[in-house]
Amino acid sequence: MPDNNRFLPLMVDLHGRTVVIFGGGSVGERKAELFSEHANTIVISRNFSHRLNELSEQGLVILIRTDAGTLSDRDIKELINGSFLVIPATSNGQINDRITAIARSLNILTNQIDTVGEVIVPAVVHRGDLVIGISTTGSSPAFSRYVRQNIEKVITPEYEQMIILQNDIRNYLKEHVKEQKHRRSILWEILDDPVVWEDISESYEKAYKRAYDIVQEQINKKD
């Protein structure tokens, strides 16, 4: 990996943005399945996998049937113009390099499949509003998946419920506790309370009642 790469993990809202993928095989399919949940996704290829055709029928991706190897630079520029991210995922490394160079000339970010590019797609753990990205910056994608699988064993579905509980209690505290420092200490006490975690595995309502009792106890102490 080049020494001048300085990757910073960011959460990017892709709503309304366009991702263009060149290649309709297994790699293009995998990328399309990921990005079609978050962005306007276009796949360009002379052939498409069965799954990509399904995604197209569902209205999740737009398929453009053409051979990227026969396109002129002008054609490629027109296809990617205005996009947020370009993913060259054809089976031809020279074509991928050419698409990458054209995208960069237009200041469009690229995610390369055979080398470390400007954008690395991490392995992701989702638990509601909790999103965890894991990356080895291209050194070992297999290890990223391994770490993700282990994190998923630790970050259980209760974490999703705890985020909802924290947000609900936080909104309550904003109305009833003036000091931000005091609000923060109460939220931390709820997070550290083993009974809340035990209750939340049974029901949200039971956990909320326990958290509410902690809030009232702390407010009364302050008074």
mmCIF file of all heavy atoms in Angstrom, residues 57-105:
data_model
loop_
_atom_site.group_PDB
_atom_site.id
_atom_site.type_symbol
_atom_site.label_atom_id
_atom_site.label_comp_id
_atom_site.label_asym_id
_atom_site.label_seq_id
_atom_site.Cartn_x
_atom_site.Cartn_y
_atom_site.Cartn_z
ATOM 1 N N GLU A 57 -35.211 -5.573 -11.927
ATOM 2 C CA GLU A 57 -36.660 -5.782 -11.971
ATOM 3 C C GLU A 57 -37.343 -5.212 -10.730
ATOM 4 O O GLU A 57 -38.505 -4.776 -10.795
ATOM 5 C CB GLU A 57 -36.961 -7.280 -12.090
ATOM 6 C CG GLU A 57 -36.571 -7.877 -13.445
ATOM 7 C CD GLU A 57 -36.658 -9.389 -13.467
ATOM 8 O OE1 GLU A 57 -37.067 -9.978 -12.437
ATOM 9 O OE2 GLU A 57 -36.326 -9.987 -14.503
ATOM 10 N N GLN A 58 -36.614 -5.199 -9.610
ATOM 11 C CA GLN A 58 -37.146 -4.649 -8.364
ATOM 12 C C GLN A 58 -37.002 -3.132 -8.298
ATOM 13 O O GLN A 58 -37.438 -2.502 -7.334
ATOM 14 C CB GLN A 58 -36.431 -5.286 -7.167
ATOM 15 C CG GLN A 58 -36.691 -6.773 -7.027
ATOM 16 C CD GLN A 58 -35.736 -7.432 -6.037
ATOM 17 O OE1 GLN A 58 -35.048 -6.766 -5.259
ATOM 18 N NE2 GLN A 58 -35.686 -8.759 -6.062
ATOM 19 N N GLY A 59 -36.389 -2.552 -9.313
ATOM 20 C CA GLY A 59 -36.208 -1.110 -9.351
ATOM 21 C C GLY A 59 -35.095 -0.601 -8.460
ATOM 22 O O GLY A 59 -35.041 0.595 -8.145
ATOM 23 N N LEU A 60 -34.194 -1.483 -8.048
ATOM 24 C CA LEU A 60 -33.125 -1.105 -7.129
ATOM 25 C C LEU A 60 -31.852 -0.654 -7.838
ATOM 26 O O LEU A 60 -31.040 0.075 -7.258
ATOM 27 C CB LEU A 60 -32.803 -2.274 -6.191
ATOM 28 C CG LEU A 60 -33.947 -2.707 -5.278
ATOM 29 C CD1 LEU A 60 -33.567 -3.950 -4.487
ATOM 30 C CD2 LEU A 60 -34.322 -1.570 -4.329
ATOM 31 N N VAL A 61 -31.661 -1.100 -9.067
ATOM 32 C CA VAL A 61 -30.503 -0.674 -9.847
ATOM 33 C C VAL A 61 -30.937 -0.385 -11.281
ATOM 34 O O VAL A 61 -31.967 -0.880 -11.745
ATOM 35 C CB VAL A 61 -29.365 -1.736 -9.861
ATOM 36 C CG1 VAL A 61 -28.899 -2.066 -8.457
ATOM 37 C CG2 VAL A 61 -29.804 -2.991 -10.598
ATOM 38 N N ILE A 62 -30.123 0.412 -11.956
ATOM 39 C CA ILE A 62 -30.313 0.665 -13.387
ATOM 40 C C ILE A 62 -29.201 -0.058 -14.136
ATOM 41 O O ILE A 62 -28.020 0.094 -13.803
ATOM 42 C CB ILE A 62 -30.261 2.172 -13.694
ATOM 43 C CG1 ILE A 62 -31.418 2.897 -13.015
ATOM 44 C CG2 ILE A 62 -30.280 2.416 -15.208
ATOM 45 C CD1 ILE A 62 -31.336 4.410 -13.113
ATOM 46 N N LEU A 63 -29.556 -0.865 -15.123
ATOM 47 C CA LEU A 63 -28.577 -1.605 -15.908
ATOM 48 C C LEU A 63 -28.404 -0.944 -17.278
ATOM 49 O O LEU A 63 -29.392 -0.641 -17.953
ATOM 50 C CB LEU A 63 -29.021 -3.061 -16.099
ATOM 51 C CG LEU A 63 -29.299 -3.874 -14.820
ATOM 52 C CD1 LEU A 63 -29.672 -5.306 -15.197
ATOM 53 C CD2 LEU A 63 -28.100 -3.854 -13.880
ATOM 54 N N ILE A 64 -27.145 -0.727 -17.653
ATOM 55 C CA ILE A 64 -26.825 -0.208 -18.982
ATOM 56 C C ILE A 64 -25.991 -1.257 -19.686
ATOM 57 O O ILE A 64 -24.867 -1.560 -19.255
ATOM 58 C CB ILE A 64 -26.063 1.129 -18.900
ATOM 59 C CG1 ILE A 64 -26.934 2.184 -18.211
ATOM 60 C CG2 ILE A 64 -25.647 1.590 -20.298
ATOM 61 C CD1 ILE A 64 -26.256 3.536 -18.031
ATOM 62 N N ARG A 65 -26.543 -1.816 -20.752
ATOM 63 C CA ARG A 65 -25.873 -2.919 -21.444
ATOM 64 C C ARG A 65 -24.932 -2.364 -22.521
ATOM 65 O O ARG A 65 -25.379 -1.910 -23.583
ATOM 66 C CB ARG A 65 -26.888 -3.874 -22.063
ATOM 67 C CG ARG A 65 -26.277 -5.186 -22.546
ATOM 68 C CD ARG A 65 -27.367 -6.124 -23.075
ATOM 69 N NE ARG A 65 -28.308 -6.518 -22.033
ATOM 70 C CZ ARG A 65 -28.094 -7.529 -21.196
ATOM 71 N NH1 ARG A 65 -26.978 -8.238 -21.274
ATOM 72 N NH2 ARG A 65 -28.999 -7.827 -20.282
ATOM 73 N N THR A 66 -23.651 -2.404 -22.239
ATOM 74 C CA THR A 66 -22.643 -1.983 -23.199
ATOM 75 C C THR A 66 -21.300 -2.554 -22.792
ATOM 76 O O THR A 66 -21.089 -2.885 -21.611
ATOM 77 C CB THR A 66 -22.567 -0.447 -23.303
ATOM 78 O OG1 THR A 66 -21.702 -0.083 -24.380
ATOM 79 C CG2 THR A 66 -22.023 0.165 -22.012
ATOM 80 N N ASP A 67 -20.394 -2.683 -23.742
ATOM 81 C CA ASP A 67 -19.057 -3.215 -23.479
ATOM 82 C C ASP A 67 -18.135 -2.062 -23.110
ATOM 83 O O ASP A 67 -17.844 -1.199 -23.948
ATOM 84 C CB ASP A 67 -18.539 -3.940 -24.728
ATOM 85 C CG ASP A 67 -17.202 -4.641 -24.498
ATOM 86 O OD1 ASP A 67 -16.558 -4.368 -23.462
ATOM 87 O OD2 ASP A 67 -16.808 -5.457 -25.348
ATOM 88 N N ALA A 68 -17.700 -2.032 -21.848
ATOM 89 C CA ALA A 68 -16.855 -0.929 -21.379
ATOM 90 C C ALA A 68 -15.567 -0.811 -22.187
ATOM 91 O O ALA A 68 -15.022 0.283 -22.355
ATOM 92 C CB ALA A 68 -16.534 -1.103 -19.897
ATOM 93 N N GLY A 69 -15.083 -1.946 -22.723
ATOM 94 C CA GLY A 69 -13.840 -1.931 -23.491
ATOM 95 C C GLY A 69 -13.952 -1.215 -24.810
ATOM 96 O O GLY A 69 -12.932 -0.812 -25.397
ATOM 97 N N THR A 70 -15.162 -1.044 -25.318
ATOM 98 C CA THR A 70 -15.359 -0.370 -26.604
ATOM 99 C C THR A 70 -15.722 1.103 -26.438
ATOM 100 O O THR A 70 -15.860 1.822 -27.427
ATOM 101 C CB THR A 70 -16.475 -1.065 -27.405
ATOM 102 O OG1 THR A 70 -17.724 -0.904 -26.708
ATOM 103 C CG2 THR A 70 -16.178 -2.546 -27.578
ATOM 104 N N LEU A 71 -15.886 1.545 -25.201
ATOM 105 C CA LEU A 71 -16.288 2.929 -24.957
ATOM 106 C C LEU A 71 -15.112 3.879 -25.108
ATOM 107 O O LEU A 71 -13.983 3.572 -24.709
ATOM 108 C CB LEU A 71 -16.872 3.073 -23.550
ATOM 109 C CG LEU A 71 -18.166 2.296 -23.254
ATOM 110 C CD1 LEU A 71 -18.516 2.433 -21.775
ATOM 111 C CD2 LEU A 71 -19.308 2.789 -24.127
ATOM 112 N N SER A 72 -15.373 5.046 -25.657
ATOM 113 C CA SER A 72 -14.351 6.089 -25.732
ATOM 114 C C SER A 72 -14.258 6.795 -24.385
ATOM 115 O O SER A 72 -15.145 6.642 -23.528
ATOM 116 C CB SER A 72 -14.711 7.109 -26.817
ATOM 117 O OG SER A 72 -15.880 7.826 -26.442
ATOM 118 N N ASP A 73 -13.210 7.576 -24.200
ATOM 119 C CA ASP A 73 -13.078 8.343 -22.963
ATOM 120 C C ASP A 73 -14.280 9.275 -22.787
ATOM 121 O O ASP A 73 -14.787 9.438 -21.665
ATOM 122 C CB ASP A 73 -11.795 9.174 -22.983
ATOM 123 C CG ASP A 73 -10.546 8.319 -22.822
ATOM 124 O OD1 ASP A 73 -10.677 7.078 -22.762
ATOM 125 O OD2 ASP A 73 -9.444 8.893 -22.756
ATOM 126 N N ARG A 74 -14.725 9.843 -23.886
ATOM 127 C CA ARG A 74 -15.876 10.749 -23.821
ATOM 128 C C ARG A 74 -17.119 9.996 -23.375
ATOM 129 O O ARG A 74 -17.911 10.504 -22.570
ATOM 130 C CB ARG A 74 -16.093 11.398 -25.185
ATOM 131 C CG ARG A 74 -17.258 12.391 -25.202
ATOM 132 C CD ARG A 74 -17.372 13.068 -26.548
ATOM 133 N NE ARG A 74 -18.490 13.989 -26.583
ATOM 134 C CZ ARG A 74 -18.804 14.742 -27.625
ATOM 135 N NH1 ARG A 74 -18.077 14.668 -28.738
ATOM 136 N NH2 ARG A 74 -19.839 15.570 -27.568
ATOM 137 N N ASP A 75 -17.309 8.777 -23.900
ATOM 138 C CA ASP A 75 -18.463 7.967 -23.506
ATOM 139 C C ASP A 75 -18.457 7.689 -22.003
ATOM 140 O O ASP A 75 -19.490 7.802 -21.328
ATOM 141 C CB ASP A 75 -18.462 6.633 -24.252
ATOM 142 C CG ASP A 75 -18.729 6.789 -25.740
ATOM 143 O OD1 ASP A 75 -19.381 7.777 -26.129
ATOM 144 O OD2 ASP A 75 -18.263 5.922 -26.507
ATOM 145 N N ILE A 76 -17.277 7.318 -21.494
ATOM 146 C CA ILE A 76 -17.157 7.004 -20.067
ATOM 147 C C ILE A 76 -17.436 8.243 -19.225
ATOM 148 O O ILE A 76 -18.138 8.173 -18.206
ATOM 149 C CB ILE A 76 -15.770 6.420 -19.753
ATOM 150 C CG1 ILE A 76 -15.613 5.048 -20.439
ATOM 151 C CG2 ILE A 76 -15.566 6.280 -18.243
ATOM 152 C CD1 ILE A 76 -14.237 4.456 -20.331
ATOM 153 N N LYS A 77 -16.898 9.382 -19.661
ATOM 154 C CA LYS A 77 -17.137 10.627 -18.925
ATOM 155 C C LYS A 77 -18.617 10.951 -18.858
ATOM 156 O O LYS A 77 -19.126 11.384 -17.816
ATOM 157 C CB LYS A 77 -16.368 11.779 -19.583
ATOM 158 C CG LYS A 77 -14.872 11.749 -19.346
ATOM 159 C CD LYS A 77 -14.189 12.939 -20.014
ATOM 160 C CE LYS A 77 -12.689 12.903 -19.761
ATOM 161 N NZ LYS A 77 -11.992 14.052 -20.403
ATOM 162 N N GLU A 78 -19.331 10.736 -19.955
ATOM 163 C CA GLU A 78 -20.765 11.013 -19.969
ATOM 164 C C GLU A 78 -21.523 10.065 -19.036
ATOM 165 O O GLU A 78 -22.476 10.472 -18.365
ATOM 166 C CB GLU A 78 -21.306 10.884 -21.396
ATOM 167 C CG GLU A 78 -20.865 12.016 -22.322
ATOM 168 C CD GLU A 78 -21.403 11.855 -23.736
ATOM 169 O OE1 GLU A 78 -22.028 10.803 -24.012
ATOM 170 O OE2 GLU A 78 -21.189 12.771 -24.555
ATOM 171 N N LEU A 79 -21.066 8.811 -18.970
ATOM 172 C CA LEU A 79 -21.744 7.820 -18.125
ATOM 173 C C LEU A 79 -21.543 8.085 -16.639
ATOM 174 O O LEU A 79 -22.429 7.793 -15.827
ATOM 175 C CB LEU A 79 -21.255 6.415 -18.471
ATOM 176 C CG LEU A 79 -21.762 5.829 -19.798
ATOM 177 C CD1 LEU A 79 -20.967 4.580 -20.159
ATOM 178 C CD2 LEU A 79 -23.253 5.504 -19.703
ATOM 179 N N ILE A 80 -20.387 8.616 -16.270
ATOM 180 C CA ILE A 80 -20.081 8.809 -14.848
ATOM 181 C C ILE A 80 -20.240 10.246 -14.388
ATOM 182 O O ILE A 80 -20.106 10.532 -13.188
ATOM 183 C CB ILE A 80 -18.659 8.313 -14.503
ATOM 184 C CG1 ILE A 80 -17.595 9.193 -15.174
ATOM 185 C CG2 ILE A 80 -18.489 6.849 -14.898
ATOM 186 C CD1 ILE A 80 -16.164 8.818 -14.789
ATOM 187 N N ASN A 81 -20.513 11.149 -15.318
ATOM 188 C CA ASN A 81 -20.609 12.565 -14.975
ATOM 189 C C ASN A 81 -21.653 12.793 -13.875
ATOM 190 O O ASN A 81 -22.799 12.332 -13.975
ATOM 191 C CB ASN A 81 -20.983 13.378 -16.213
ATOM 192 C CG ASN A 81 -20.966 14.872 -15.935
ATOM 193 O OD1 ASN A 81 -20.047 15.397 -15.310
ATOM 194 N ND2 ASN A 81 -21.991 15.561 -16.381
ATOM 195 N N GLY A 82 -21.260 13.487 -12.827
ATOM 196 C CA GLY A 82 -22.161 13.800 -11.720
ATOM 197 C C GLY A 82 -22.279 12.717 -10.666
ATOM 198 O O GLY A 82 -22.996 12.899 -9.679
ATOM 199 N N SER A 83 -21.592 11.605 -10.852
ATOM 200 C CA SER A 83 -21.678 10.524 -9.856
ATOM 201 C C SER A 83 -20.781 10.832 -8.656
ATOM 202 O O SER A 83 -19.829 11.604 -8.748
ATOM 203 C CB SER A 83 -21.295 9.183 -10.474
ATOM 204 O OG SER A 83 -19.965 9.195 -10.950
ATOM 205 N N PHE A 84 -21.096 10.209 -7.554
ATOM 206 C CA PHE A 84 -20.320 10.394 -6.326
ATOM 207 C C PHE A 84 -19.167 9.399 -6.239
ATOM 208 O O PHE A 84 -18.080 9.721 -5.776
ATOM 209 C CB PHE A 84 -21.234 10.222 -5.111
ATOM 210 C CG PHE A 84 -20.532 10.304 -3.786
ATOM 211 C CD1 PHE A 84 -20.097 11.525 -3.291
ATOM 212 C CD2 PHE A 84 -20.297 9.164 -3.030
ATOM 213 C CE1 PHE A 84 -19.435 11.604 -2.075
ATOM 214 C CE2 PHE A 84 -19.652 9.231 -1.809
ATOM 215 C CZ PHE A 84 -19.218 10.461 -1.327
ATOM 216 N N LEU A 85 -19.420 8.174 -6.717
ATOM 217 C CA LEU A 85 -18.434 7.102 -6.610
ATOM 218 C C LEU A 85 -18.498 6.227 -7.853
ATOM 219 O O LEU A 85 -19.577 5.901 -8.335
ATOM 220 C CB LEU A 85 -18.715 6.251 -5.365
ATOM 221 C CG LEU A 85 -17.811 5.036 -5.112
ATOM 222 C CD1 LEU A 85 -16.384 5.480 -4.783
ATOM 223 C CD2 LEU A 85 -18.370 4.180 -3.983
ATOM 224 N N VAL A 86 -17.313 5.847 -8.347
ATOM 225 C CA VAL A 86 -17.213 4.942 -9.483
ATOM 226 C C VAL A 86 -16.467 3.686 -9.045
ATOM 227 O O VAL A 86 -15.430 3.774 -8.370
ATOM 228 C CB VAL A 86 -16.486 5.606 -10.677
ATOM 229 C CG1 VAL A 86 -16.160 4.587 -11.763
ATOM 230 C CG2 VAL A 86 -17.334 6.736 -11.244
ATOM 231 N N ILE A 87 -17.002 2.527 -9.430
ATOM 232 C CA ILE A 87 -16.382 1.255 -9.063
ATOM 233 C C ILE A 87 -16.059 0.466 -10.339
ATOM 234 O O ILE A 87 -16.953 -0.112 -10.962
ATOM 235 C CB ILE A 87 -17.302 0.415 -8.161
ATOM 236 C CG1 ILE A 87 -17.715 1.224 -6.930
ATOM 237 C CG2 ILE A 87 -16.619 -0.887 -7.757
ATOM 238 C CD1 ILE A 87 -18.726 0.526 -6.037
ATOM 239 N N PRO A 88 -14.799 0.453 -10.756
ATOM 240 C CA PRO A 88 -14.411 -0.340 -11.925
ATOM 241 C C PRO A 88 -14.249 -1.803 -11.500
ATOM 242 O O PRO A 88 -13.290 -2.157 -10.817
ATOM 243 C CB PRO A 88 -13.065 0.269 -12.347
ATOM 244 C CG PRO A 88 -12.880 1.506 -11.511
ATOM 245 C CD PRO A 88 -13.667 1.265 -10.267
ATOM 246 N N ALA A 89 -15.190 -2.661 -11.899
ATOM 247 C CA ALA A 89 -15.198 -4.058 -11.441
ATOM 248 C C ALA A 89 -15.306 -5.023 -12.610
ATOM 249 O O ALA A 89 -15.923 -6.081 -12.505
ATOM 250 C CB ALA A 89 -16.349 -4.279 -10.459
ATOM 251 N N THR A 90 -14.680 -4.661 -13.735
ATOM 252 C CA THR A 90 -14.674 -5.584 -14.866
ATOM 253 C C THR A 90 -13.591 -6.635 -14.642
ATOM 254 O O THR A 90 -12.783 -6.533 -13.716
ATOM 255 C CB THR A 90 -14.403 -4.847 -16.194
ATOM 256 O OG1 THR A 90 -13.006 -4.515 -16.282
ATOM 257 C CG2 THR A 90 -15.230 -3.571 -16.301
ATOM 258 N N SER A 91 -13.556 -7.629 -15.501
ATOM 259 C CA SER A 91 -12.542 -8.686 -15.397
ATOM 260 C C SER A 91 -11.241 -8.301 -16.088
ATOM 261 O O SER A 91 -10.288 -9.075 -16.098
ATOM 262 C CB SER A 91 -13.075 -9.989 -16.014
ATOM 263 O OG SER A 91 -13.443 -9.784 -17.373
ATOM 264 N N ASN A 92 -11.185 -7.078 -16.637
ATOM 265 C CA ASN A 92 -10.006 -6.604 -17.371
ATOM 266 C C ASN A 92 -9.336 -5.487 -16.581
ATOM 267 O O ASN A 92 -9.896 -4.391 -16.432
ATOM 268 C CB ASN A 92 -10.426 -6.122 -18.760
ATOM 269 C CG ASN A 92 -9.235 -5.777 -19.646
ATOM 270 O OD1 ASN A 92 -8.368 -5.021 -19.255
ATOM 271 N ND2 ASN A 92 -9.211 -6.345 -20.845
ATOM 272 N N GLY A 93 -8.124 -5.745 -16.084
ATOM 273 C CA GLY A 93 -7.418 -4.766 -15.269
ATOM 274 C C GLY A 93 -7.108 -3.476 -16.002
ATOM 275 O O GLY A 93 -7.156 -2.388 -15.412
ATOM 276 N N GLN A 94 -6.800 -3.561 -17.295
ATOM 277 C CA GLN A 94 -6.487 -2.360 -18.062
ATOM 278 C C GLN A 94 -7.710 -1.465 -18.215
ATOM 279 O O GLN A 94 -7.608 -0.229 -18.111
ATOM 280 C CB GLN A 94 -5.942 -2.741 -19.444
ATOM 281 C CG GLN A 94 -4.551 -3.376 -19.402
ATOM 282 C CD GLN A 94 -4.017 -3.679 -20.790
ATOM 283 O OE1 GLN A 94 -4.786 -3.959 -21.717
ATOM 284 N NE2 GLN A 94 -2.708 -3.625 -20.945
ATOM 285 N N ILE A 95 -8.861 -2.086 -18.437
ATOM 286 C CA ILE A 95 -10.100 -1.301 -18.532
ATOM 287 C C ILE A 95 -10.402 -0.642 -17.192
ATOM 288 O O ILE A 95 -10.775 0.533 -17.123
ATOM 289 C CB ILE A 95 -11.272 -2.195 -18.977
ATOM 290 C CG1 ILE A 95 -11.041 -2.692 -20.405
ATOM 291 C CG2 ILE A 95 -12.595 -1.435 -18.882
ATOM 292 C CD1 ILE A 95 -12.089 -3.682 -20.881
ATOM 293 N N ASN A 96 -10.222 -1.383 -16.118
ATOM 294 C CA ASN A 96 -10.455 -0.825 -14.779
ATOM 295 C C ASN A 96 -9.542 0.366 -14.516
ATOM 296 O O ASN A 96 -9.982 1.395 -13.980
ATOM 297 C CB ASN A 96 -10.222 -1.896 -13.717
ATOM 298 C CG ASN A 96 -11.292 -2.975 -13.729
ATOM 299 O OD1 ASN A 96 -12.363 -2.799 -14.283
ATOM 300 N ND2 ASN A 96 -10.988 -4.112 -13.117
ATOM 301 N N ASP A 97 -8.274 0.240 -14.899
ATOM 302 C CA ASP A 97 -7.321 1.341 -14.695
ATOM 303 C C ASP A 97 -7.727 2.569 -15.513
ATOM 304 O O ASP A 97 -7.602 3.714 -15.043
ATOM 305 C CB ASP A 97 -5.914 0.906 -15.089
ATOM 306 C CG ASP A 97 -5.319 -0.105 -14.117
ATOM 307 O OD1 ASP A 97 -5.843 -0.226 -12.988
ATOM 308 O OD2 ASP A 97 -4.334 -0.770 -14.482
ATOM 309 N N ARG A 98 -8.192 2.338 -16.715
ATOM 310 C CA ARG A 98 -8.615 3.451 -17.580
ATOM 311 C C ARG A 98 -9.824 4.161 -17.000
ATOM 312 O O ARG A 98 -9.870 5.406 -16.954
ATOM 313 C CB ARG A 98 -8.938 2.909 -18.969
ATOM 314 C CG ARG A 98 -9.396 3.950 -19.973
ATOM 315 C CD ARG A 98 -9.314 3.396 -21.391
ATOM 316 N NE ARG A 98 -10.118 4.180 -22.288
ATOM 317 C CZ ARG A 98 -11.295 3.808 -22.795
ATOM 318 N NH1 ARG A 98 -11.791 2.606 -22.485
ATOM 319 N NH2 ARG A 98 -11.963 4.589 -23.614
ATOM 320 N N ILE A 99 -10.791 3.405 -16.520
ATOM 321 C CA ILE A 99 -11.983 4.009 -15.903
ATOM 322 C C ILE A 99 -11.582 4.806 -14.665
ATOM 323 O O ILE A 99 -12.077 5.916 -14.438
ATOM 324 C CB ILE A 99 -13.009 2.921 -15.544
ATOM 325 C CG1 ILE A 99 -13.555 2.267 -16.812
ATOM 326 C CG2 ILE A 99 -14.152 3.511 -14.715
ATOM 327 C CD1 ILE A 99 -14.370 1.011 -16.557
ATOM 328 N N THR A 100 -10.674 4.241 -13.879
ATOM 329 C CA THR A 100 -10.204 4.929 -12.672
ATOM 330 C C THR A 100 -9.557 6.260 -13.018
ATOM 331 O O THR A 100 -9.826 7.286 -12.375
ATOM 332 C CB THR A 100 -9.197 4.043 -11.913
ATOM 333 O OG1 THR A 100 -9.852 2.854 -11.474
ATOM 334 C CG2 THR A 100 -8.627 4.774 -10.707
ATOM 335 N N ALA A 101 -8.693 6.259 -14.032
ATOM 336 C CA ALA A 101 -7.993 7.486 -14.432
ATOM 337 C C ALA A 101 -8.979 8.556 -14.899
ATOM 338 O O ALA A 101 -8.844 9.741 -14.563
ATOM 339 C CB ALA A 101 -6.982 7.177 -15.541
ATOM 340 N N ILE A 102 -9.987 8.146 -15.661
ATOM 341 C CA ILE A 102 -10.984 9.105 -16.148
ATOM 342 C C ILE A 102 -11.799 9.660 -14.991
ATOM 343 O O ILE A 102 -12.058 10.875 -14.919
ATOM 344 C CB ILE A 102 -11.901 8.427 -17.188
ATOM 345 C CG1 ILE A 102 -11.093 8.082 -18.449
ATOM 346 C CG2 ILE A 102 -13.070 9.347 -17.546
ATOM 347 C CD1 ILE A 102 -11.845 7.222 -19.446
ATOM 348 N N ALA A 103 -12.196 8.789 -14.055
ATOM 349 C CA ALA A 103 -12.963 9.254 -12.893
ATOM 350 C C ALA A 103 -12.166 10.251 -12.069
ATOM 351 O O ALA A 103 -12.689 11.295 -11.645
ATOM 352 C CB ALA A 103 -13.372 8.059 -12.034
ATOM 353 N N ARG A 104 -10.902 9.957 -11.865
ATOM 354 C CA ARG A 104 -10.060 10.869 -11.080
ATOM 355 C C ARG A 104 -9.874 12.204 -11.774
ATOM 356 O O ARG A 104 -9.768 13.250 -11.115
ATOM 357 C CB ARG A 104 -8.709 10.204 -10.796
ATOM 358 C CG ARG A 104 -8.793 9.089 -9.761
ATOM 359 C CD ARG A 104 -7.451 8.446 -9.508
ATOM 360 N NE ARG A 104 -7.544 7.476 -8.423
ATOM 361 C CZ ARG A 104 -6.537 6.688 -8.051
ATOM 362 N NH1 ARG A 104 -5.365 6.750 -8.693
ATOM 363 N NH2 ARG A 104 -6.700 5.841 -7.056
ATOM 364 N N SER A 105 -9.832 12.182 -13.112
ATOM 365 C CA SER A 105 -9.692 13.439 -13.853
ATOM 366 C C SER A 105 -10.910 14.335 -13.654
ATOM 367 O O SER A 105 -10.833 15.553 -13.835
ATOM 368 C CB SER A 105 -9.482 13.163 -15.347
ATOM 369 O OG SER A 105 -10.687 12.725 -15.963
#
